[in-house]
Structures are given as structure tokens and as C-alpha cells.
Amino acid sequence: MSSAPSLSSIPGDVLDYYLGLGYYRMNQDLFTCRFLPVGPRIYTVHWLRLVVAQVHYGSKQRRLLRHNAQFTVAIKPFRLTAEYEALYARYHAYIDFDASPSLADLLLAGATHSVFDTYIIEVRHGEQLIAAGIFDRGTTTIAGIVNFYDPDYRKHSLGKYLMLLKTEYAREQQLAYYYPGYLVHGYPKFDYKLFASPEATEVFDFQNSEWLPFSWELVARQSAILLPSWLPNNWLGEAE
């Protein structure tokens, strides 16, 4: 894992630049990585972005938007509140994977202020906050940071719904790219990041520092190059 230099605030064009190199936010830093250890195995990481102008929804995406049209949506600059923390706590108690114990820890990790231009999407059923999605804004990009929701509303696929709402925000703002994070070869827990529009998704080519149209075949080739060339020999036996 490597990190970018820290600044008192990160200008939008600087965030755009690092996102374009396969970097991403962690707390108040920008980092990148190539591997994810899960138990005894090592998996390869593949960074994604959506080309906003190429986004095209299929039947699943349109159906989800119709299904959740009963909810109200608001997008605003992010300020940490007790309401957001309470919803995140409900979500954290429900999920079955490791995550930061609070929003403050996830976003700030003890820092006194944020260096990112951060926004939140609120989804409400009446007055009740049922889901929220946080993203950072660059000059021509957004980077999705976290989505969380009330487990009582899980049948509404609110995590995927928030991805569509972020995509719509980027489209309405005429931005170039939406960076949803990474997926992991051979570990499908992250495959949902393709949901918004697989045809508009690109994957980062770490060898040539360029973005290529996404395909599982390309990801498999990248993984086959990464594992033997980057990992110590004593790790390869565990990864195979």
C-alpha cells in the first residue's frame, strides 16, 4: 500500500489527478493498494471508475429507481451529526464484515477537520432517515466513500440505490467520472460496484497507468500478472 502527500485541504483538480492514478480515500489520506488479505489467502485489487457520459441503465437499475421513488432524496455538504452516527451504528451492528466502528472514525480517524470536499445523500421515508451515501467531490469527478442504511429497509437494496443516486448526481453536474472503489478478483463481495452500469465501467491498468474498458477477462489477466510479480515467494503458496 502507498499513500499520497497530505495537504491542509485537497483542491478538486488534485483529487481528480490522484483518483486517475488509482488512489482512493482512507480517513484523511489518499492511498492505493494492489492486494487484499482475507484469512489465509491474498487476493488482487482492481480499481474501478464509471465514465459518466457512457452510463446506460438496464431493466434492473430502472426497476430499482421506480421501486424507491416513494422516498425523498436530498444532497448537501456533509456535516457529522448524531442522526448520521445513529443510522451508521444500526448498519454497523447488522453487517457481517469489518468496518470502522463510527462515521467519525471512518472519515476523520482523530483529525480535527476534513481535507476533502465531502457531500452526503440523504434518503428519507417521511421524516425518518433510512439511508445515506457519502462522496467526495473533485473538479470533474466524485469518489464514493461509504453507503449505509437501516437494516429494516434492506429489501429496497439501498446500497445499490445510493450508487445510482451518486451516478445521477455526477450526470446532472456534468462530471466526467464516478469512482466507486475497487473489486477483488475471485472474491465476489465487492462485485456490487459494477451494478450502476457495467458497460460504462473502466478498470485501472496498473502496468501502464491507464484505464481500460472493464471485463472479467482483463481482471483475470491483471491478477495473473500481479500475484507472481509482486508477492514474496512465501506468500504465493497461500494465495494459490
Side-chain angles (χ1 to χ4, degrees), residues 63 134 208 223:
R63 184 165 56 248
I134 293 174
N208 300 306
S223 182

Side-chain angles (χ1 to χ4, degrees), residues 62-224:
R62 294 193 297 270
R63 184 165 56 248
L64 183 58
L65 289 170
R66 290 195 303 270
H67 182 58
N68 292 340
Q70 61 185 297
F71 305 134
T72 58
V73 174
I75 303 176
K76 60 184 69 176
F78 176 77
R79 299 291 182 271
L80 188 61
T81 69
E83 183 182 36
Y84 299 155
E85 284 285 22
L87 179 62
Y88 183 85
R90 283 181 53 77
Y91 171 77
H92 187 269
Y94 166 73
I95 58 178
D96 61 355
F97 55 87
D98 291 337
S100 297
S102 70
L103 272 183
D105 187 68
L106 187 154
L107 298 174
L108 297 173
T112 57
H113 76 285
S114 178
V115 300
F116 297 94
D117 186 17
T118 304
Y119 288 76
I120 189 164
I121 302 176
E122 296 180 351
V123 180
R124 293 183 182 273
H125 189 192
E127 296 298 318
Q128 180 184 354
L129 180 69
I130 62 169
I134 293 174
F135 64 90
D136 293 328
R137 170 82 191 251
T139 301
T140 62
T141 66
I142 61 170
I145 306 305
V146 64
N147 297 325
F148 53 101
Y149 55 86
D150 187 331
D152 290 345
Y153 287 80
R154 56 187 174 274
K155 69 178 182 179
H156 291 274
S157 300
L158 292 172
K160 291 179 177 178
Y161 179 55
L162 284 161
M163 287 191 67
L164 296 181
L165 293 177
K166 290 176 183 179
T167 303
E168 285 303 290
Y169 172 87
R171 183 147 55 182
E172 290 166 4
Q173 296 291 311
Q174 299 184 334
L175 303 180
Y177 302 110
Y178 162 29
Y179 292 82
Y182 61 69
L183 56 71
V184 178
H185 180 253
Y187 190 68
K189 185 178 286 287
F190 297 90
D191 291 359
Y192 71 90
K193 293 179 182 178
L194 296 169
F195 176 75
S197 183
E199 299 81 6
T201 300
E202 295 181 333
V203 61
F204 187 64
D205 176 1
F206 67 94
Q207 287 186 299
N208 300 306
S209 294
E210 64 180 357
W211 293 86
L212 301 173
F214 174 84
S215 72
W216 286 113
E217 292 78 8
L218 175 58
V219 167
R221 290 199 299 271
Q222 290 181 342
S223 182

Side-chain angles (χ1 to χ4, degrees), residues 2-94:
S2 59
S3 60
S6 298
L7 301 170
S8 58
S9 63
I10 296 181
D13 59 341
V14 173
L15 180 62
D16 294 346
Y17 173 77
Y18 278 105
L19 290 172
L21 292 177
Y23 281 71
Y24 203 69
R25 175 182 179 172
M26 177 184 288
N27 310 131
Q28 288 297 293
D29 297 309
L30 290 168
F31 84 105
T32 192
C33 65
R34 296 285 178 262
F35 304 100
L36 178 71
V38 181
R41 290 198 57 183
I42 301 295
Y43 296 87
T44 54
V45 164
H46 306 268
W47 296 94
L48 304 175
R49 74 181 183 186
L50 271 75
V51 183
V52 175
Q54 297 178 11
V55 168
H56 174 73
Y57 293 150
S59 59
K60 291 181 180 179
Q61 293 80 11
R62 294 193 297 270
R63 184 165 56 248
L64 183 58
L65 289 170
R66 290 195 303 270
H67 182 58
N68 292 340
Q70 61 185 297
F71 305 134
T72 58
V73 174
I75 303 176
K76 60 184 69 176
F78 176 77
R79 299 291 182 271
L80 188 61
T81 69
E83 183 182 36
Y84 299 155
E85 284 285 22
L87 179 62
Y88 183 85
R90 283 181 53 77
Y91 171 77
H92 187 269
Y94 166 73

